[in-house]
Amino acid sequence: KMLAYMIDGLGRGERIEIRGFGIFSLRYRPPVNGRNPKTGEQVLVSARHVIHFKTGMELKKRVMDSANTYEIID
């Protein structure tokens, strides 16, 4: 149910903030000329909105703290 509310909100262009976790928002990507990697043909990639996520400070801190507890062995 919560996911449905988030999808509806993002669809309306709203910013969604979950304290301590992060912020979901939409970013506009303008049209660009791309290239088909298989054929090398130029193609126009149309404009679109993409979902952007910015990590909250608490989540970032917890992940960094837990990542620093593991020792990397070569």
Side-chain angles (χ1 to χ4, degrees), residues 3-19:
L3 190 56
Y5 287 122
M6 291 175 68
I7 292 168
D8 289 342
L10 285 171
R12 290 190 301 270
E14 297 174 2
R15 181 181 120 149
I16 299 169
E17 180 177 349
I18 302 172
R19 298 275 178 176

Side-chain angles (χ1 to χ4, degrees), residues 33-44:
N33 288 320
R35 188 175 301 275
N36 182 332
K38 190 172 187 179
T39 63
E41 175 187 4
Q42 273 200 335
V43 293
L44 178 65

Side-chain angles (χ1 to χ4, degrees), residues 1-73:
K1 192 101 176 172
M2 184 174 121
L3 190 56
Y5 287 122
M6 291 175 68
I7 292 168
D8 289 342
L10 285 171
R12 290 190 301 270
E14 297 174 2
R15 181 181 120 149
I16 299 169
E17 180 177 349
I18 302 172
R19 298 275 178 176
F21 183 73
I23 299 169
F24 294 90
S25 61
L26 290 180
R27 296 252 171 116
Y28 176 75
R29 296 284 167 101
V32 294
N33 288 320
R35 188 175 301 275
N36 182 332
K38 190 172 187 179
T39 63
E41 175 187 4
Q42 273 200 335
V43 293
L44 178 65
V45 179
S46 60
R48 63 191 183 278
H49 284 89
V50 294
I51 298 173
H52 175 74
F53 177 72
K54 182 175 180 186
T55 310
M57 291 301 293
E58 185 177 341
L59 176 61
K60 190 181 295 187
K61 183 182 179 320
R62 285 185 179 203
V63 168
M64 292 305 291
D65 288 347
S66 66
N68 290 334
T69 61
Y70 296 104
E71 183 178 336
I72 299 174
I73 301 171

